[in-house]
Coordinates of all heavy atoms in Angstrom, one line a residue:
G226 N -5.6 23.6 -3.7 CA -5.8 22.9 -2.3 C -5.0 23.6 -1.2 O -3.9 24.1 -1.3
C227 N -5.5 23.5 0.0 CA -4.8 24.1 1.3 C -4.5 23.0 2.1 O -4.2 23.2 3.4 CB -5.9 25.0 1.9 SG -6.3 26.4 0.8
G228 N -4.5 21.6 1.7 CA -4.1 20.5 2.6 C -5.0 20.4 3.8 O -6.0 21.1 4.0
T229 N -4.7 19.4 4.7 CA -5.5 19.1 5.8 C -5.6 20.4 6.9 O -6.5 20.6 7.5 CB -5.0 17.9 6.6 OG1 -3.6 18.1 6.9 CG2 -5.3 16.7 5.7
W230 N -4.3 21.2 6.8 CA -4.4 22.3 7.6 C -5.6 23.3 7.3 O -6.1 23.9 8.1 CB -3.1 23.2 7.5 CG -1.9 22.3 7.9 CD1 -1.8 21.3 8.6 CD2 -0.5 22.4 7.4 NE1 -0.6 20.7 8.7 CE2 0.4 21.5 8.0 CE3 0.1 23.4 6.6 CZ2 1.7 21.4 7.8 CZ3 1.4 23.3 6.3 CH2 2.2 22.3 7.0
G231 N -5.9 23.4 5.9 CA -7.0 24.4 5.4 C -8.2 23.6 5.3 O -9.1 24.1 4.7
G232 N -8.3 22.3 5.6 CA -9.6 21.6 5.5 C -9.7 21.1 4.1 O -10.9 20.7 3.6
S233 N -8.7 21.0 3.4 CA -8.7 20.4 2.1 C -8.1 18.9 1.9 O -7.3 18.7 2.8 CB -7.9 21.3 1.0 OG -8.4 22.6 0.9
A234 N -8.5 18.2 0.9 CA -8.1 16.8 0.7 C -6.7 16.9 0.0 O -6.1 15.8 0.0 CB -9.2 16.1 -0.1
T235 N -6.3 18.0 -0.5 CA -5.1 18.0 -1.2 C -4.4 19.4 -0.9 O -5.1 20.4 -0.7 CB -5.2 17.9 -2.8 OG1 -3.9 18.0 -3.3 CG2 -6.1 18.9 -3.3
S236 N -3.1 19.3 -1.0 CA -2.3 20.6 -0.7 C -1.8 21.1 -2.2 O -1.3 22.2 -2.2 CB -1.0 20.5 0.1 OG -0.3 19.5 -0.4
D237 N -2.2 20.5 -3.2 CA -1.7 20.8 -4.6 C -2.7 21.9 -5.3 O -3.8 22.0 -5.0 CB -1.8 19.6 -5.4 CG -0.7 18.6 -4.9 OD1 0.3 19.0 -4.2 OD2 -0.9 17.3 -5.3
N238 N -2.1 22.4 -6.4 CA -3.0 23.0 -7.5 C -3.5 21.8 -8.2 O -2.9 21.0 -8.6 CB -2.2 23.8 -8.3 CG -1.9 25.2 -7.7 OD1 -1.9 25.4 -6.5 ND2 -1.4 26.0 -8.5
V239 N -4.9 21.7 -8.2 CA -5.5 20.6 -8.8 C -5.4 20.4 -10.3 O -5.6 21.4 -11.0 CB -7.1 20.6 -8.5 CG1 -7.8 19.4 -9.1 CG2 -7.2 20.6 -7.0
T240 N -5.0 19.2 -10.7 CA -4.7 19.0 -12.2 C -5.4 17.7 -12.5 O -6.1 17.1 -11.6 CB -3.2 18.7 -12.3 OG1 -2.8 17.5 -11.9 CG2 -2.4 19.8 -11.7
P241 N -5.5 17.2 -13.9 CA -6.0 16.0 -14.2 C -5.6 14.8 -13.4 O -6.3 13.8 -13.2 CB -5.7 15.8 -15.7 CG -5.6 17.2 -16.1 CD -4.8 18.0 -15.0
E242 N -4.3 14.8 -12.9 CA -3.8 13.7 -12.2 C -4.5 13.5 -10.9 O -4.5 12.4 -10.3 CB -2.3 13.8 -11.8 CG -1.4 13.7 -13.1 CD 0.0 13.9 -12.9 OE1 0.5 14.8 -12.0 OE2 0.9 13.2 -13.6
H243 N -5.2 14.4 -10.4 CA -5.9 14.3 -9.1 C -7.4 13.7 -9.4 O -8.1 13.6 -8.5 CB -6.2 15.7 -8.4 CG -4.9 16.4 -8.0 ND1 -4.1 17.2 -8.8 CD2 -4.3 16.2 -6.8 CE1 -3.0 17.5 -8.1 NE2 -3.2 17.0 -6.9
L244 N -7.8 13.6 -10.7 CA -9.0 13.2 -11.1 C -9.0 11.7 -11.8 O -10.0 11.5 -12.5 CB -9.6 14.2 -12.1 CG -9.6 15.7 -11.6 CD1 -10.2 16.6 -12.7 CD2 -10.5 15.7 -10.3
I245 N -8.0 11.0 -11.4 CA -8.0 9.7 -12.0 C -7.8 8.7 -10.7 O -7.2 9.0 -9.7 CB -6.8 9.4 -13.0 CG1 -5.5 9.8 -12.5 CG2 -7.1 10.0 -14.2 CD1 -4.1 9.4 -13.3
N246 N -8.3 7.5 -11.0 CA -8.0 6.3 -10.0 C -6.9 5.7 -10.7 O -6.9 5.4 -12.0 CB -9.1 5.4 -10.0 CG -10.3 6.1 -9.0 OD1 -10.1 6.7 -8.0 ND2 -11.5 6.0 -9.7
I247 N -5.9 5.1 -9.9 CA -4.9 4.4 -10.3 C -4.9 2.8 -10.1 O -5.0 2.5 -8.8 CB -3.5 4.9 -9.9 CG1 -3.4 6.3 -10.4 CG2 -2.4 4.0 -10.5 CD1 -2.1 7.0 -9.9
K248 N -5.1 2.0 -11.1 CA -5.1 0.6 -10.8 C -3.7 0.0 -11.0 O -2.9 0.4 -11.7 CB -6.1 0.0 -11.9 CG -6.2 -1.6 -11.8 CD -6.9 -2.0 -13.0 CE -8.4 -1.5 -13.1 NZ -9.1 -1.9 -14.4
R249 N -3.5 -1.0 -10.2 CA -2.0 -1.5 -10.2 C -2.1 -3.0 -10.3 O -2.8 -3.8 -9.6 CB -1.3 -1.3 -8.8 CG -1.0 0.2 -8.6 CD -0.3 0.6 -7.4 NE 0.0 2.1 -7.2 CZ -0.9 3.0 -7.1 NH1 -2.1 2.8 -6.8 NH2 -0.4 4.4 -7.1
V250 N -1.3 -3.5 -11.5 CA -1.2 -4.9 -11.7 C 0.2 -5.2 -11.0 O 1.2 -4.7 -11.7 CB -1.3 -5.1 -13.2 CG1 -0.9 -6.7 -13.5 CG2 -2.7 -4.8 -13.7
A251 N 0.3 -6.0 -10.1 CA 1.6 -6.4 -9.5 C 1.9 -7.9 -9.4 O 1.0 -8.6 -8.9 CB 1.6 -5.9 -8.1
Y252 N 3.0 -8.3 -10.0 CA 3.4 -9.7 -10.0 C 4.2 -10.0 -8.7 O 4.8 -9.1 -8.1 CB 4.4 -10.0 -11.1 CG 3.7 -10.1 -12.5 CD1 3.3 -9.0 -13.2 CD2 3.6 -11.4 -13.1 CE1 2.7 -9.1 -14.4 CE2 2.9 -11.5 -14.3 CZ 2.5 -10.3 -14.9 OH 1.9 -10.5 -16.2
G253 N 4.1 -11.1 -8.2 CA 4.8 -11.6 -7.0 C 6.3 -11.7 -7.3 O 6.7 -12.3 -8.3
I254 N 7.1 -10.9 -6.5 CA 8.5 -10.9 -6.7 C 9.4 -11.3 -5.6 O 10.5 -11.4 -5.5 CB 9.0 -9.6 -7.1 CG1 8.8 -8.5 -6.1 CG2 8.5 -9.0 -8.6 CD1 9.3 -7.1 -6.3
K255 N 8.6 -11.8 -4.4 CA 9.2 -12.1 -3.1 C 8.7 -13.5 -2.7 O 7.4 -13.6 -2.7 CB 9.1 -11.2 -2.1 CG 9.6 -9.7 -2.5 CD 9.2 -8.7 -1.3 CE 9.6 -7.3 -1.8 NZ 9.1 -6.3 -0.9
E256 N 9.4 -14.5 -2.5 CA 8.9 -15.7 -2.1 C 8.7 -15.7 -0.5 O 9.5 -15.2 0.2 CB 9.8 -16.9 -2.2 CG 10.0 -17.3 -3.7 CD 8.6 -17.7 -4.3 OE1 7.9 -18.4 -3.5 OE2 8.4 -17.4 -5.5
I257 N 7.6 -16.2 0.0 CA 7.3 -16.1 1.4 C 7.7 -17.5 1.9 O 7.1 -18.6 1.5 CB 5.6 -16.0 1.7 CG1 5.1 -14.7 0.9 CG2 5.4 -16.0 3.1 CD1 5.9 -13.6 1.4
E258 N 8.5 -17.5 2.8 CA 9.2 -18.8 3.4 C 8.5 -19.5 4.4 O 8.4 -20.6 4.6 CB 10.6 -18.4 3.8 CG 11.5 -17.9 2.8 CD 12.9 -17.6 3.3 OE1 13.0 -17.8 4.5 OE2 13.8 -17.3 2.5
T259 N 7.6 -18.6 5.3 CA 7.0 -19.2 6.4 C 5.6 -19.8 5.9 O 5.1 -19.2 5.0 CB 6.6 -18.1 7.5 OG1 6.1 -18.9 8.5 CG2 5.9 -17.2 7.0
N260 N 5.1 -20.9 6.5 CA 3.9 -21.5 6.2 C 2.8 -20.9 7.1 O 1.6 -21.2 7.0 CB 3.8 -23.0 6.3 CG 4.7 -23.6 5.1 OD1 4.6 -23.1 4.1 ND2 5.5 -24.7 5.4
S261 N 3.3 -20.3 8.2 CA 2.4 -19.8 9.3 C 2.1 -18.3 9.2 O 3.0 -17.6 9.4 CB 2.8 -20.1 10.7 OG 2.0 -19.6 11.7
P262 N 0.9 -17.8 8.9 CA 0.5 -16.5 8.7 C 0.7 -15.8 10.1 O 0.6 -14.6 10.2 CB -0.8 -16.3 8.2 CG -1.4 -17.6 8.5 CD -0.3 -18.6 8.5
L263 N 0.7 -16.6 11.1 CA 0.6 -16.1 12.5 C 2.0 -16.0 13.0 O 2.3 -15.4 14.2 CB -0.1 -17.0 13.6 CG -1.7 -17.2 13.1 CD1 -2.4 -18.0 14.0 CD2 -2.4 -15.8 12.8
N264 N 3.0 -16.5 12.3 CA 4.4 -16.4 12.8 C 4.5 -17.0 14.1 O 5.4 -16.4 14.9 CB 5.0 -15.0 12.7 CG 5.9 -14.7 11.6 OD1 6.4 -15.8 11.1 ND2 6.4 -13.5 11.4
I265 N 4.1 -18.2 14.4 CA 4.3 -18.8 15.7 C 5.3 -19.8 15.7 O 5.4 -20.7 14.9 CB 2.9 -19.5 16.0 CG1 1.8 -18.6 16.2 CG2 3.1 -20.2 17.5 CD1 0.4 -19.2 16.3
P266 N 6.4 -19.6 16.5 CA 7.6 -20.5 16.5 C 7.1 -21.8 16.9 O 6.2 -22.2 17.6 CB 8.3 -20.0 17.7 CG 8.0 -18.6 17.9 CD 6.5 -18.5 17.5
D267 N 7.8 -22.9 16.2 CA 7.5 -24.3 16.5 C 7.3 -24.8 17.9 O 6.6 -25.5 18.3 CB 8.4 -25.2 15.7 CG 8.3 -25.0 14.0 OD1 7.2 -24.6 13.7 OD2 9.1 -25.4 13.5
K268 N 8.4 -24.1 18.7 CA 8.5 -24.5 20.1 C 7.3 -24.2 20.9 O 7.0 -24.7 22.0 CB 9.8 -24.1 20.7 CG 9.8 -22.5 20.8 CD 11.1 -22.1 21.4 CE 11.1 -20.6 21.6 NZ 12.3 -20.1 22.3
S269 N 6.4 -23.3 20.3 CA 5.4 -22.9 21.1 C 4.2 -23.9 21.2 O 3.3 -23.8 21.8 CB 4.7 -21.5 20.5 OG 4.3 -21.7 19.1
L270 N 4.5 -25.0 20.2 CA 3.3 -26.0 20.1 C 3.9 -27.2 20.8 O 3.7 -28.5 20.3 CB 3.1 -26.4 18.6 CG 2.7 -25.1 17.8 CD1 2.5 -25.5 16.4 CD2 1.3 -24.6 18.3

């Protein structure tokens, strides 16, 4: 591969690792404290 400079999608020598999709199973490890996804301060209401 020649990377984006050479018009390639990769700059690597292509291996089997370039030919797999990686699925991720992720557990929640951080508690979200705010109830507002818009993060609007209470005083704004």
Side-chain angles (χ1 to χ4, degrees):
C227 298
T229 54
W230 300 338
S233 299
T235 180
S236 59
D237 297 335
N238 284 17
V239 175
T240 73
E242 290 181 323
H243 295 88
L244 306 181
I245 58 172
N246 292 309
I247 299 177
K248 178 190 296 180
R249 291 173 176 84
V250 178
Y252 285 77
I254 59 173
K255 303 171 187 176
E256 291 298 326
I257 305 302
E258 296 180 1
T259 177
N260 292 322
S261 172
L263 303 180
N264 246 353
I265 301 172
D267 290 341
K268 64 179 182 180
S269 66
L270 300 176

